[in-house]
Amino acid sequence: MTSPQQPQPQPAPGAQPMPPAVPAPAPSAGPMPPAVPPQPAPAQPAPAEDAGTMMLQAQPPAPAPPAPAKEAGTMMLQAQPPAGGHPEPTPLSAHGPGKEAGTMLLTAAAQPPAPPHPGPAPQHASVPQQQAPAPAPAPAANWQAATPGYVSPIPVRPTHLGHALAAEWTKIRSVRSTVWTLGVMTVLVLGIGVLVAVSVASMSTVGDTSPLFFGLFGMLLGVLCVLPLGVLVTSSEYGTGMIRTTLAACPNRGRVLTAKALVFFALTFVVTTVVTGLVALTDNAMISDISRVHVGAGEWLRSTVGIGLYVSFLGLLALAVGSLIRHSAGAITLMVGVVLLPFVLSMFMFADSLEGVRNFLMGYSIPNQLTVMYGNKFPFVDGGPSGWQPLWIVMGLAAVALGAAYATMRQRDV
């Protein structure tokens, strides 16, 4: 027990003055009765506002009155005096929680040492510690696994060639160049084919000429409409810069070029085959009576499906040239020159020394190859392909050009 004459501790400079302890009354007479040690009550853990740990423990016997601080730290509680004793101030030091969740230690000052008492031993009561935060999950394979609380309505699946085909089909059917080029080709082939059939039908006979041959005149002009469409399928994206968006959505450049080629080939083949079929039916109905040639299944197949394949592969050649040059006007000019220049040059080679060159250029020119596909040949041409050979030639040229376009496309930045 602390004597009332014991000097009080001086507060720290700048701290709030501690209220003085109430001095015990002086004894009136006689000896002071012995102090009965108080029964230690079980400590009740105080709830903490912040997540943390509160530990209540008994302070060692040596009392050390804490110095008052500016922050909320020390509270003086008046302990209940024992029977016949004098009340003493019991310092209750509460170290409040800081900004972060931490530990609050509540220390109660003990009474002076007393004889051992068979009462219950002081216990340590602690609030359950806050569980440590769960470790962050490993990076997920996709963004849905990283956010398990959200399920996207869009299915996540690996991309394949079908997605590229769908994208290219959306492009080719939504631009106006497709409608204009294929529309003009249909009008030219059908219109010129019907007009030629009407004109020839007024003649008495056409000799050994096949009735299906007269569809050639409209197709010669129709080819000039397919070539620009093949060039624009690739070169237009380079001109507008949309090729960057296409390659960002599908970095596999081989898949992009394959999808463009397949979509263009399928569309051109269907339209050309339907148009040539209609022209063939019209010519055969109007000219078969004045022709001595009986049209068989082979001639029908070559004049419809064969012509559709030939024109479609010629368009693929234009597509590859457009991908190589990446300039619409230049690629279209080059393809028109490929179609017309050999035939035009051969017409001006009159010298006998150039006869071999003339026959080669005229025989392998695009107009003569189309004539062969219709079952005839230019009468002034010696040599050249026959039957289905023009189709194999244009297929080889298209394959080589597409291979070069793919190799070049992989070497470029865009």
Side-chain angles (χ1 to χ4, degrees):
M1 180 179 300
T2 308
S3 175
Q5 285 82 13
Q6 183 177 357
Q8 301 295 328
Q10 297 298 326
Q16 297 292 336
M18 181 184 298
V22 180
S28 57
M32 181 180 298
V36 179
Q39 297 294 334
Q44 299 293 333
E49 294 183 0
D50 300 321
T53 303
M54 181 176 69
M55 183 170 65
L56 182 63
Q57 65 181 13
Q59 189 177 357
K70 295 179 70 174
E71 298 81 15
T74 304
M75 294 185 300
M76 298 298 299
L77 299 182
Q78 188 71 27
Q80 296 293 336
H86 300 280
E88 287 187 353
T90 302
L92 182 62
S93 176
H95 302 280
K99 291 184 179 179
E100 300 81 18
T103 303
M104 184 173 69
L105 180 64
L106 183 63
T107 306
Q111 296 293 334
H117 192 273
Q123 298 179 356
H124 297 279
S126 61
V127 176
Q129 297 183 357
Q130 183 187 11
Q131 295 183 356
N142 52 62
W143 64 275
Q144 285 188 355
T147 56
Y150 174 76
V151 178
S152 173
I154 304 175
V156 178
R157 57 181 181 269
T159 58
H160 49 77
L161 181 60
H163 299 117
L165 291 174
E168 295 302 328
W169 169 246
T170 303
K171 293 177 187 176
I172 200 170
R173 68 181 174 86
S174 59
V175 295
R176 290 174 293 195
S177 60
T178 304
V179 178
W180 278 104
T181 53
L182 294 182
V184 171
M185 184 201 75
T186 303
V187 171
L188 289 176
V189 175
L190 281 176
I192 296 176
V194 172
L195 290 176
V196 171
V198 171
S199 301
V200 174
S202 62
M203 299 172 60
S204 59
T205 181
V206 292
D208 295 332
T209 304
S210 172
L212 305 182
F213 171 76
F214 297 97
L216 168 69
F217 301 101
M219 185 53 65
L220 286 174
L221 296 178
V223 168
L224 298 179
C225 298
V226 174
L227 298 180
L229 179 61
V231 170
L232 292 174
V233 168
T234 53
S235 63
S236 61
E237 292 197 39
Y238 284 101
T240 59
M242 283 298 297
I243 190 65
R244 296 182 178 88
T245 305
T246 301
L247 296 180
C250 182
N252 192 333
R253 303 193 174 194
R255 183 184 299 173
V256 171
L257 188 60
T258 303
K260 289 180 180 295
L262 290 177
V263 170
F264 169 77
F265 180 84
L267 178 62
T268 307
F269 173 71
V270 170
V271 174
T272 307
T273 304
V274 170
V275 173
T276 53
L278 294 175
V279 173
L281 289 174
T282 304
D283 290 348
N284 186 66
M286 300 179 66
I287 306 175
S288 61
D289 296 338
I290 59 175
S291 175
R292 295 192 298 265
V293 176
H294 175 70
V295 181
E299 287 78 7
W300 277 101
L301 184 64
R302 191 169 57 246
S303 299
T304 55
V305 177
I307 290 295
L309 289 173
Y310 185 89
V311 174
S312 300
F313 277 108
L314 196 60
L316 282 183
L317 179 61
L319 184 147
V321 172
S323 180
L324 287 169
I325 297 180
R326 299 188 297 175
H327 190 271
S328 299
I332 293 173
T333 303
L334 179 60
M335 287 307 302
V336 171
V338 169
V339 172
L340 299 179
L341 187 59
F343 183 78
V344 173
L345 286 178
S346 64
M347 295 177 63
F348 294 94
M349 296 181 179
F350 303 108
D352 295 337
S353 59
L354 298 176
E355 183 178 359
V357 178
R358 180 178 67 248
N359 288 332
F360 177 83
L361 291 178
M362 187 170 292
Y364 287 93
S365 63
I366 302 301
N368 186 63
Q369 292 187 28
L370 283 172
T371 306
V372 172
M373 291 297 295
Y374 274 104
N376 284 61
K377 183 187 292 186
F378 288 163
F380 45 85
V381 175
D382 295 332
S386 61
W388 290 86
Q389 290 181 2
L391 180 60
W392 315 139
I393 293 173
V394 75
M395 286 177 62
L397 292 175
V400 172
L402 284 173
Y406 174 69
T408 307
M409 195 174 184
R410 293 194 61 183
Q411 298 296 326
R412 292 168 174 165
D413 294 337
V414 292

